[in-house]
Amino acid sequence: MTLAVRYMTARTLETAPVEFSEPGPGEVLLAPAYVGICGTDLHIFHGDMDARVAAPAVLGHEMSGRVVRVGAGVEGWRPGDAVTVMPLRWDGTCPACLSGHQHICQHLDFIGIDSPGAMQQRWTVPAST
Ligand SMILES: [Zn+2]
């Protein structure tokens, strides 16, 4: 378990223990140190993105922290390394990706909006991010 800040409903955040996953192949487990609050986070907080964000949701996509553990096959990162995360994960197979426009991937995962974000003490993300 780790402690996380979760969006519950409009104008309501809570701090609660949540499960975190150990890093699988190609993933890293991070210890976020600082998390920025983006304008998008404020839209979520105000309830303007409830159609997209499934509460309870761990927010946070602008962060810095350190690597805790690396999953199998991860090269170039080791425990203690200082990191930030580029919070976009694309599929690499759709027409947008194949034409070099990964930022508009048809299956784009905006980490911290579409999947759990950095406002937690332990956070597992793809090492590629
Ligand atoms: Zn794509």
Side-chain angles (χ1 to χ4, degrees):
M1 299 291 271
T2 187
L3 206 54
V5 174
R6 302 191 305 176
Y7 169 76
M8 302 305 290
T9 188
R11 298 182 178 273
T12 305
L13 302 176
E14 72 166 22
T15 303
V18 298
E19 298 287 342
F20 72 93
S21 58
E22 289 295 328
E27 294 181 328
V28 292
L29 175 65
L30 305 180
Y34 298 94
V35 182
I37 297 174
C38 174
T40 305
D41 296 316
L42 292 178
H43 287 302
I44 294 169
F45 176 71
H46 289 128
D48 299 335
M49 294 179 67
D50 283 358
R52 178 171 175 178
V53 176
V58 180
L59 305 181
H61 57 271
E62 297 178 350
M63 60 78 68
S64 64
R66 293 198 179 271
V67 174
V68 175
R69 281 190 286 285
V70 301
V74 172
E75 295 181 4
W77 299 109
R78 61 185 182 188
D81 283 349
V83 295
T84 63
V85 168
M86 179 193 63
L88 299 175
R89 181 170 31 194
W90 50 82
D91 64 11
T93 62
C94 76
C97 285
L98 293 175
S99 59
H101 304 293
Q102 293 90 346
H103 64 291
I104 56 170
C105 171
Q106 293 172 353
H107 306 104
L108 189 66
D109 173 15
F110 197 124
I111 301 172
I113 295 175
D114 301 317
S115 59
M119 289 188 184
Q120 52 188 325
Q121 294 173 312
R122 293 291 180 270
W123 188 38
T124 299
V125 295
S128 61
T129 62

